[in-house]
PDB file of all heavy atoms in Angstrom:
ATOM      1  N   LEU B   6     -13.222   7.313 -31.454  1.00 65.00           N
ATOM      2  CA  LEU B   6     -14.619   7.464 -31.854  1.00 65.00           C
ATOM      3  C   LEU B   6     -15.336   8.394 -30.901  1.00 65.00           C
ATOM      4  O   LEU B   6     -14.977   8.496 -29.722  1.00 65.00           O
ATOM      5  CB  LEU B   6     -15.327   6.100 -31.864  1.00 65.00           C
ATOM      6  CG  LEU B   6     -14.898   5.135 -32.967  1.00 65.00           C
ATOM      7  CD1 LEU B   6     -15.722   3.865 -32.863  1.00 65.00           C
ATOM      8  CD2 LEU B   6     -15.049   5.744 -34.341  1.00 65.00           C
ATOM      9  N   PRO B   7     -16.431   9.107 -31.355  1.00 62.00           N
ATOM     10  CA  PRO B   7     -17.152  10.047 -30.481  1.00 62.00           C
ATOM     11  C   PRO B   7     -17.824   9.345 -29.302  1.00 62.00           C
ATOM     12  O   PRO B   7     -18.209   8.186 -29.389  1.00 62.00           O
ATOM     13  CB  PRO B   7     -18.189  10.679 -31.399  1.00 62.00           C
ATOM     14  CG  PRO B   7     -18.030  10.055 -32.727  1.00 62.00           C
ATOM     15  CD  PRO B   7     -16.924   9.080 -32.699  1.00 62.00           C
ATOM     16  N   THR B   8     -17.956  10.063 -28.208  1.00 53.00           N
ATOM     17  CA  THR B   8     -18.508   9.465 -26.999  1.00 53.00           C
ATOM     18  C   THR B   8     -20.008   9.223 -27.086  1.00 53.00           C
ATOM     19  O   THR B   8     -20.538   8.362 -26.385  1.00 53.00           O
ATOM     20  CB  THR B   8     -18.214  10.363 -25.784  1.00 53.00           C
ATOM     21  OG1 THR B   8     -18.745  11.674 -26.052  1.00 53.00           O
ATOM     22  CG2 THR B   8     -16.726  10.485 -25.550  1.00 53.00           C
ATOM     23  N   ASP B   9     -20.754   9.956 -27.941  1.00 56.00           N
ATOM     24  CA  ASP B   9     -22.196   9.754 -28.016  1.00 56.00           C
ATOM     25  C   ASP B   9     -22.544   8.382 -28.577  1.00 56.00           C
ATOM     26  O   ASP B   9     -23.540   7.778 -28.218  1.00 56.00           O
ATOM     27  CB  ASP B   9     -22.854  10.843 -28.869  1.00 56.00           C
ATOM     28  CG  ASP B   9     -22.367  10.814 -30.307  1.00 56.00           C
ATOM     29  OD1 ASP B   9     -21.181  10.460 -30.516  1.00 56.00           O
ATOM     30  OD2 ASP B   9     -23.167  11.127 -31.212  1.00 56.00           O
ATOM     31  N   PHE B  10     -21.700   7.869 -29.417  1.00 53.00           N
ATOM     32  CA  PHE B  10     -21.935   6.537 -29.967  1.00 53.00           C
ATOM     33  C   PHE B  10     -21.588   5.453 -28.956  1.00 53.00           C
ATOM     34  O   PHE B  10     -22.212   4.401 -28.905  1.00 53.00           O
ATOM     35  CB  PHE B  10     -21.101   6.372 -31.248  1.00 53.00           C
ATOM     36  CG  PHE B  10     -21.026   4.959 -31.732  1.00 53.00           C
ATOM     37  CD1 PHE B  10     -22.140   4.342 -32.293  1.00 53.00           C
ATOM     38  CD2 PHE B  10     -19.858   4.227 -31.609  1.00 53.00           C
ATOM     39  CE1 PHE B  10     -22.078   3.041 -32.735  1.00 53.00           C
ATOM     40  CE2 PHE B  10     -19.794   2.930 -32.052  1.00 53.00           C
ATOM     41  CZ  PHE B  10     -20.910   2.325 -32.621  1.00 53.00           C
ATOM     42  N   LEU B  11     -20.583   5.704 -28.129  1.00 51.00           N
ATOM     43  CA  LEU B  11     -20.063   4.676 -27.240  1.00 51.00           C
ATOM     44  C   LEU B  11     -20.672   4.716 -25.850  1.00 51.00           C
ATOM     45  O   LEU B  11     -20.209   4.019 -24.957  1.00 51.00           O
ATOM     46  CB  LEU B  11     -18.540   4.819 -27.131  1.00 51.00           C
ATOM     47  CG  LEU B  11     -17.786   4.641 -28.467  1.00 51.00           C
ATOM     48  CD1 LEU B  11     -16.332   4.995 -28.284  1.00 51.00           C
ATOM     49  CD2 LEU B  11     -17.934   3.219 -28.958  1.00 51.00           C
ATOM     50  N   ASP B  12     -21.703   5.527 -25.655  1.00 56.00           N
ATOM     51  CA  ASP B  12     -22.328   5.615 -24.339  1.00 56.00           C
ATOM     52  C   ASP B  12     -21.299   5.926 -23.251  1.00 56.00           C
ATOM     53  O   ASP B  12     -21.129   5.176 -22.281  1.00 56.00           O
ATOM     54  CB  ASP B  12     -23.077   4.325 -24.000  1.00 56.00           C
ATOM     55  CG  ASP B  12     -24.209   4.074 -24.957  1.00 56.00           C
ATOM     56  OD1 ASP B  12     -24.788   5.072 -25.462  1.00 56.00           O
ATOM     57  OD2 ASP B  12     -24.499   2.884 -25.204  1.00 56.00           O
ATOM     58  N   ASN B  13     -20.577   7.045 -23.477  1.00 52.00           N
ATOM     59  CA  ASN B  13     -19.562   7.518 -22.527  1.00 52.00           C
ATOM     60  C   ASN B  13     -18.378   6.586 -22.388  1.00 52.00           C
ATOM     61  O   ASN B  13     -17.595   6.699 -21.455  1.00 52.00           O
ATOM     62  CB  ASN B  13     -20.189   7.770 -21.149  1.00 52.00           C
ATOM     63  CG  ASN B  13     -21.259   8.845 -21.213  1.00 52.00           C
ATOM     64  OD1 ASN B  13     -21.106   9.825 -21.951  1.00 52.00           O
ATOM     65  ND2 ASN B  13     -22.325   8.652 -20.444  1.00 52.00           N
ATOM     66  N   ASP B  14     -18.209   5.646 -23.285  1.00 60.00           N
ATOM     67  CA  ASP B  14     -17.029   4.791 -23.325  1.00 60.00           C
ATOM     68  C   ASP B  14     -16.195   5.208 -24.524  1.00 60.00           C
ATOM     69  O   ASP B  14     -16.652   5.935 -25.409  1.00 60.00           O
ATOM     70  CB  ASP B  14     -17.452   3.322 -23.435  1.00 60.00           C
ATOM     71  CG  ASP B  14     -16.310   2.399 -23.020  1.00 60.00           C
ATOM     72  OD1 ASP B  14     -15.238   2.938 -22.690  1.00 60.00           O
ATOM     73  OD2 ASP B  14     -16.511   1.173 -23.048  1.00 60.00           O
ATOM     74  N   THR B  15     -14.954   4.799 -24.583  1.00 64.00           N
ATOM     75  CA  THR B  15     -14.078   5.185 -25.690  1.00 64.00           C
ATOM     76  C   THR B  15     -13.460   3.956 -26.311  1.00 64.00           C
ATOM     77  O   THR B  15     -13.301   2.919 -25.656  1.00 64.00           O
ATOM     78  CB  THR B  15     -12.949   6.120 -25.214  1.00 64.00           C
ATOM     79  OG1 THR B  15     -12.190   5.440 -24.211  1.00 64.00           O
ATOM     80  CG2 THR B  15     -13.522   7.422 -24.667  1.00 64.00           C
ATOM     81  N   ILE B  16     -13.105   4.141 -27.591  1.00 67.00           N
ATOM     82  CA  ILE B  16     -12.417   3.076 -28.299  1.00 67.00           C
ATOM     83  C   ILE B  16     -11.539   3.703 -29.358  1.00 67.00           C
ATOM     84  O   ILE B  16     -11.889   4.728 -29.955  1.00 67.00           O
ATOM     85  CB  ILE B  16     -13.410   2.080 -28.938  1.00 67.00           C
ATOM     86  CG1 ILE B  16     -12.650   0.848 -29.442  1.00 67.00           C
ATOM     87  CG2 ILE B  16     -14.218   2.710 -30.057  1.00 67.00           C
ATOM     88  CD1 ILE B  16     -13.554  -0.289 -29.841  1.00 67.00           C
ATOM     89  N   MET B  17     -10.379   3.120 -29.540  1.00 69.00           N
ATOM     90  CA  MET B  17      -9.433   3.641 -30.522  1.00 69.00           C
ATOM     91  C   MET B  17      -9.405   2.712 -31.736  1.00 69.00           C
ATOM     92  O   MET B  17      -9.315   1.485 -31.598  1.00 69.00           O
ATOM     93  CB  MET B  17      -8.031   3.748 -29.917  1.00 69.00           C
ATOM     94  CG  MET B  17      -7.940   4.625 -28.681  1.00 69.00           C
ATOM     95  SD  MET B  17      -8.321   6.364 -29.013  1.00 69.00           S
ATOM     96  CE  MET B  17      -6.928   6.811 -30.048  1.00 69.00           C
ATOM     97  N   LEU B  18      -9.491   3.303 -32.911  1.00 70.00           N
ATOM     98  CA  LEU B  18      -9.367   2.564 -34.161  1.00 70.00           C
ATOM     99  C   LEU B  18      -8.134   3.038 -34.895  1.00 70.00           C
ATOM    100  O   LEU B  18      -7.681   4.178 -34.717  1.00 70.00           O
ATOM    101  CB  LEU B  18     -10.606   2.771 -35.041  1.00 70.00           C
ATOM    102  CG  LEU B  18     -11.933   2.284 -34.475  1.00 70.00           C
ATOM    103  CD1 LEU B  18     -13.056   2.559 -35.462  1.00 70.00           C
ATOM    104  CD2 LEU B  18     -11.866   0.794 -34.161  1.00 70.00           C
ATOM    105  N   LYS B  19      -7.606   2.188 -35.740  1.00 74.00           N
ATOM    106  CA  LYS B  19      -6.393   2.527 -36.484  1.00 74.00           C
ATOM    107  C   LYS B  19      -6.740   2.808 -37.943  1.00 74.00           C
ATOM    108  O   LYS B  19      -7.498   2.066 -38.562  1.00 74.00           O
ATOM    109  CB  LYS B  19      -5.379   1.384 -36.413  1.00 74.00           C
ATOM    110  CG  LYS B  19      -4.804   1.176 -35.023  1.00 74.00           C
ATOM    111  CD  LYS B  19      -3.764   0.067 -35.052  1.00 74.00           C
ATOM    112  CE  LYS B  19      -3.188  -0.177 -33.665  1.00 74.00           C
ATOM    113  NZ  LYS B  19      -2.428   0.996 -33.175  1.00 74.00           N
ATOM    114  N   ARG B  20      -6.156   3.904 -38.468  1.00 73.00           N
ATOM    115  CA  ARG B  20      -6.232   4.188 -39.889  1.00 73.00           C
ATOM    116  C   ARG B  20      -4.848   3.930 -40.456  1.00 73.00           C
ATOM    117  O   ARG B  20      -3.862   4.524 -39.995  1.00 73.00           O
ATOM    118  CB  ARG B  20      -6.652   5.635 -40.118  1.00 73.00           C
ATOM    119  CG  ARG B  20      -6.758   5.993 -41.602  1.00 73.00           C
ATOM    120  CD  ARG B  20      -7.404   7.345 -41.778  1.00 73.00           C
ATOM    121  NE  ARG B  20      -6.625   8.411 -41.132  1.00 73.00           N
ATOM    122  CZ  ARG B  20      -7.118   9.611 -40.834  1.00 73.00           C
ATOM    123  NH1 ARG B  20      -8.384   9.886 -41.107  1.00 73.00           N
ATOM    124  NH2 ARG B  20      -6.358  10.524 -40.244  1.00 73.00           N
ATOM    125  N   ILE B  21      -4.754   3.068 -41.410  1.00 75.00           N
ATOM    126  CA  ILE B  21      -3.449   2.612 -41.912  1.00 75.00           C
ATOM    127  C   ILE B  21      -3.296   3.024 -43.367  1.00 75.00           C
ATOM    128  O   ILE B  21      -4.158   2.750 -44.207  1.00 75.00           O
ATOM    129  CB  ILE B  21      -3.306   1.093 -41.766  1.00 75.00           C
ATOM    130  CG1 ILE B  21      -3.377   0.713 -40.285  1.00 75.00           C
ATOM    131  CG2 ILE B  21      -1.998   0.609 -42.384  1.00 75.00           C
ATOM    132  CD1 ILE B  21      -3.314  -0.779 -40.047  1.00 75.00           C
ATOM    133  N   ILE B  22      -2.164   3.688 -43.645  1.00 74.00           N
ATOM    134  CA  ILE B  22      -1.775   4.026 -45.022  1.00 74.00           C
ATOM    135  C   ILE B  22      -0.419   3.395 -45.256  1.00 74.00           C
ATOM    136  O   ILE B  22       0.522   3.575 -44.458  1.00 74.00           O
ATOM    137  CB  ILE B  22      -1.699   5.550 -45.225  1.00 74.00           C
ATOM    138  CG1 ILE B  22      -3.076   6.180 -44.929  1.00 74.00           C
ATOM    139  CG2 ILE B  22      -1.252   5.885 -46.632  1.00 74.00           C
ATOM    140  CD1 ILE B  22      -3.062   7.694 -44.978  1.00 74.00           C
ATOM    141  N   SER B  23      -0.303   2.663 -46.346  1.00 76.00           N
ATOM    142  CA  SER B  23       0.953   1.954 -46.596  1.00 76.00           C
ATOM    143  C   SER B  23       1.550   2.392 -47.932  1.00 76.00           C
ATOM    144  O   SER B  23       0.828   2.667 -48.894  1.00 76.00           O
ATOM    145  CB  SER B  23       0.709   0.444 -46.613  1.00 76.00           C
ATOM    146  OG  SER B  23      -0.166   0.091 -47.670  1.00 76.00           O
ATOM    147  N   LYS B  24       2.890   2.455 -47.923  1.00 77.00           N
ATOM    148  CA  LYS B  24       3.647   2.730 -49.147  1.00 77.00           C
ATOM    149  C   LYS B  24       4.542   1.527 -49.403  1.00 77.00           C
ATOM    150  O   LYS B  24       5.322   1.123 -48.549  1.00 77.00           O
ATOM    151  CB  LYS B  24       4.475   4.002 -48.978  1.00 77.00           C
ATOM    152  CG  LYS B  24       5.337   4.312 -50.197  1.00 77.00           C
ATOM    153  CD  LYS B  24       6.223   5.522 -49.955  1.00 77.00           C
ATOM    154  CE  LYS B  24       7.120   5.763 -51.172  1.00 77.00           C
ATOM    155  NZ  LYS B  24       8.097   6.849 -50.923  1.00 77.00           N
ATOM    156  N   LYS B  25       4.440   0.976 -50.623  1.00 78.00           N
ATOM    157  CA  LYS B  25       5.197  -0.225 -50.959  1.00 78.00           C
ATOM    158  C   LYS B  25       6.122   0.083 -52.132  1.00 78.00           C
ATOM    159  O   LYS B  25       5.689   0.635 -53.146  1.00 78.00           O
ATOM    160  CB  LYS B  25       4.260  -1.373 -51.310  1.00 78.00           C
ATOM    161  CG  LYS B  25       3.316  -1.739 -50.173  1.00 78.00           C
ATOM    162  CD  LYS B  25       2.333  -2.792 -50.597  1.00 78.00           C
ATOM    163  CE  LYS B  25       1.344  -3.085 -49.468  1.00 78.00           C
ATOM    164  NZ  LYS B  25       0.314  -4.060 -49.884  1.00 78.00           N
ATOM    165  N   ASP B  26       7.415  -0.278 -51.967  1.00 77.00           N
ATOM    166  CA  ASP B  26       8.425  -0.043 -53.025  1.00 77.00           C
ATOM    167  C   ASP B  26       9.051  -1.373 -53.409  1.00 77.00           C
ATOM    168  O   ASP B  26       9.406  -2.190 -52.551  1.00 77.00           O
ATOM    169  CB  ASP B  26       9.517   0.911 -52.518  1.00 77.00           C
ATOM    170  CG  ASP B  26       8.961   2.274 -52.170  1.00 77.00           C
ATOM    171  OD1 ASP B  26       8.410   2.924 -53.084  1.00 77.00           O
ATOM    172  OD2 ASP B  26       9.036   2.662 -50.976  1.00 77.00           O
ATOM    173  N   PHE B  27       9.198  -1.546 -54.728  1.00 76.00           N
ATOM    174  CA  PHE B  27       9.839  -2.763 -55.248  1.00 76.00           C
ATOM    175  C   PHE B  27      10.991  -2.347 -56.157  1.00 76.00           C
ATOM    176  O   PHE B  27      10.810  -1.529 -57.072  1.00 76.00           O
ATOM    177  CB  PHE B  27       8.812  -3.599 -56.028  1.00 76.00           C
ATOM    178  CG  PHE B  27       9.411  -4.795 -56.704  1.00 76.00           C
ATOM    179  CD1 PHE B  27       9.695  -5.947 -55.989  1.00 76.00           C
ATOM    180  CD2 PHE B  27       9.719  -4.761 -58.055  1.00 76.00           C
ATOM    181  CE1 PHE B  27      10.254  -7.037 -56.612  1.00 76.00           C
ATOM    182  CE2 PHE B  27      10.283  -5.858 -58.681  1.00 76.00           C
ATOM    183  CZ  PHE B  27      10.547  -6.995 -57.964  1.00 76.00           C
ATOM    184  N   PHE B  28      12.199  -2.918 -55.882  1.00 76.00           N
ATOM    185  CA  PHE B  28      13.396  -2.593 -56.679  1.00 76.00           C
ATOM    186  C   PHE B  28      13.972  -3.877 -57.243  1.00 76.00           C
ATOM    187  O   PHE B  28      14.021  -4.912 -56.582  1.00 76.00           O
ATOM    188  CB  PHE B  28      14.476  -1.914 -55.806  1.00 76.00           C
ATOM    189  CG  PHE B  28      14.026  -0.629 -55.164  1.00 76.00           C
ATOM    190  CD1 PHE B  28      13.488  -0.630 -53.892  1.00 76.00           C
ATOM    191  CD2 PHE B  28      14.153   0.583 -55.848  1.00 76.00           C
ATOM    192  CE1 PHE B  28      13.086   0.557 -53.297  1.00 76.00           C
ATOM    193  CE2 PHE B  28      13.738   1.755 -55.246  1.00 76.00           C
ATOM    194  CZ  PHE B  28      13.208   1.756 -53.973  1.00 76.00           C
ATOM    195  N   GLN B  29      14.409  -3.762 -58.523  1.00 74.00           N
ATOM    196  CA  GLN B  29      15.133  -4.882 -59.145  1.00 74.00           C
ATOM    197  C   GLN B  29      16.382  -4.289 -59.787  1.00 74.00           C
ATOM    198  O   GLN B  29      16.300  -3.462 -60.697  1.00 74.00           O
ATOM    199  CB  GLN B  29      14.273  -5.573 -60.213  1.00 74.00           C
ATOM    200  CG  GLN B  29      15.032  -6.686 -60.941  1.00 74.00           C
ATOM    201  CD  GLN B  29      14.208  -7.282 -62.066  1.00 74.00           C
ATOM    202  OE1 GLN B  29      13.046  -7.585 -61.878  1.00 74.00           O
ATOM    203  NE2 GLN B  29      14.809  -7.429 -63.228  1.00 74.00           N
ATOM    204  N   THR B  30      17.573  -4.707 -59.289  1.00 74.00           N
ATOM    205  CA  THR B  30      18.847  -4.175 -59.815  1.00 74.00           C
ATOM    206  C   THR B  30      19.744  -5.330 -60.195  1.00 74.00           C
ATOM    207  O   THR B  30      19.544  -6.471 -59.756  1.00 74.00           O
ATOM    208  CB  THR B  30      19.545  -3.297 -58.767  1.00 74.00           C
ATOM    209  OG1 THR B  30      19.764  -4.089 -57.584  1.00 74.00           O
ATOM    210  CG2 THR B  30      18.692  -2.089 -58.401  1.00 74.00           C
ATOM    211  N   SER B  31      20.728  -5.046 -61.013  1.00 66.00           N
ATOM    212  CA  SER B  31      21.683  -6.067 -61.467  1.00 66.00           C
ATOM    213  C   SER B  31      22.978  -5.915 -60.683  1.00 66.00           C
ATOM    214  O   SER B  31      23.406  -4.800 -60.359  1.00 66.00           O
ATOM    215  CB  SER B  31      21.962  -5.905 -62.964  1.00 66.00           C
ATOM    216  OG  SER B  31      20.768  -6.039 -63.699  1.00 66.00           O
ATOM    217  N   THR B  32      23.639  -7.030 -60.420  1.00 59.00           N
ATOM    218  CA  THR B  32      24.909  -7.030 -59.690  1.00 59.00           C
ATOM    219  C   THR B  32      26.058  -7.091 -60.683  1.00 59.00           C
ATOM    220  O   THR B  32      25.961  -7.763 -61.730  1.00 59.00           O
ATOM    221  CB  THR B  32      24.983  -8.225 -58.732  1.00 59.00           C
ATOM    222  OG1 THR B  32      24.826  -9.415 -59.484  1.00 59.00           O
ATOM    223  CG2 THR B  32      23.853  -8.147 -57.687  1.00 59.00           C
ATOM    224  N   ILE B  33      27.176  -6.417 -60.365  1.00 55.00           N
ATOM    225  CA  ILE B  33      28.336  -6.363 -61.270  1.00 55.00           C
ATOM    226  C   ILE B  33      29.499  -7.061 -60.562  1.00 55.00           C
ATOM    227  O   ILE B  33      29.857  -6.694 -59.447  1.00 55.00           O
ATOM    228  CB  ILE B  33      28.718  -4.920 -61.619  1.00 55.00           C
ATOM    229  CG1 ILE B  33      27.502  -4.208 -62.267  1.00 55.00           C
ATOM    230  CG2 ILE B  33      29.939  -4.868 -62.516  1.00 55.00           C
ATOM    231  CD1 ILE B  33      27.745  -2.737 -62.507  1.00 55.00           C
ATOM    232  N   ARG B  34      30.066  -8.061 -61.247  1.00 53.00           N
ATOM    233  CA  ARG B  34      31.204  -8.773 -60.658  1.00 53.00           C
ATOM    234  C   ARG B  34      32.531  -8.411 -61.346  1.00 53.00           C
ATOM    235  O   ARG B  34      33.586  -8.502 -60.764  1.00 53.00           O
ATOM    236  CB  ARG B  34      30.986 -10.282 -60.732  1.00 53.00           C
ATOM    237  CG  ARG B  34      29.798 -10.719 -59.864  1.00 53.00           C
ATOM    238  CD  ARG B  34      29.691 -12.221 -59.852  1.00 53.00           C
ATOM    239  NE  ARG B  34      28.606 -12.654 -58.965  1.00 53.00           N
ATOM    240  CZ  ARG B  34      28.289 -13.920 -58.742  1.00 53.00           C
ATOM    241  NH1 ARG B  34      28.978 -14.890 -59.339  1.00 53.00           N
ATOM    242  NH2 ARG B  34      27.310 -14.214 -57.933  1.00 53.00           N
ATOM    243  N   ASN B  35      32.457  -8.033 -62.636  1.00 55.00           N
ATOM    244  CA  ASN B  35      33.667  -7.636 -63.378  1.00 55.00           C
ATOM    245  C   ASN B  35      33.277  -6.639 -64.452  1.00 55.00           C
ATOM    246  O   ASN B  35      32.085  -6.413 -64.725  1.00 55.00           O
ATOM    247  CB  ASN B  35      34.379  -8.855 -63.972  1.00 55.00           C
ATOM    248  CG  ASN B  35      33.423  -9.731 -64.784  1.00 55.00           C
ATOM    249  OD1 ASN B  35      32.865  -9.240 -65.769  1.00 55.00           O
ATOM    250  ND2 ASN B  35      33.220 -10.983 -64.357  1.00 55.00           N
ATOM    251  N   THR B  36      34.276  -6.058 -65.091  1.00 52.00           N
ATOM    252  CA  THR B  36      34.020  -5.020 -66.093  1.00 52.00           C
ATOM    253  C   THR B  36      33.317  -5.556 -67.314  1.00 52.00           C
ATOM    254  O   THR B  36      32.669  -4.815 -68.053  1.00 52.00           O
ATOM    255  CB  THR B  36      35.364  -4.379 -66.506  1.00 52.00           C
ATOM    256  OG1 THR B  36      36.229  -5.412 -66.990  1.00 52.00           O
ATOM    257  CG2 THR B  36      36.016  -3.667 -65.333  1.00 52.00           C
ATOM    258  N   GLY B  37      33.373  -6.869 -67.567  1.00 52.00           N
ATOM    259  CA  GLY B  37      32.715  -7.441 -68.759  1.00 52.00           C
ATOM    260  C   GLY B  37      31.205  -7.445 -68.655  1.00 52.00           C
ATOM    261  O   GLY B  37      30.502  -7.614 -69.662  1.00 52.00           O
TER     262      GLY B  37
END
């Protein structure tokens, strides 16, 4: 954050972007 807001102090903030993937697959045990 800018120093003018913090009265010459500093602070770190986190910006978080997330990517979520969902997979559903079938398992094969034999040729049938």
Side-chain angles (χ1 to χ4, degrees):
L6 290 182
T8 56
D9 63 327
F10 167 71
L11 299 172
D12 297 329
N13 298 322
D14 199 359
T15 59
I16 190 169
M17 302 296 293
L18 298 180
K19 292 182 181 295
R20 180 170 61 198
I21 298 177
I22 300 175
S23 63
K24 177 184 177 186
K25 300 175 183 177
D26 298 300
F27 175 79
F28 300 93
Q29 176 185 313
T30 58
S31 300
T32 58
I33 302 174
R34 295 185 177 181
N35 52 61
T36 57

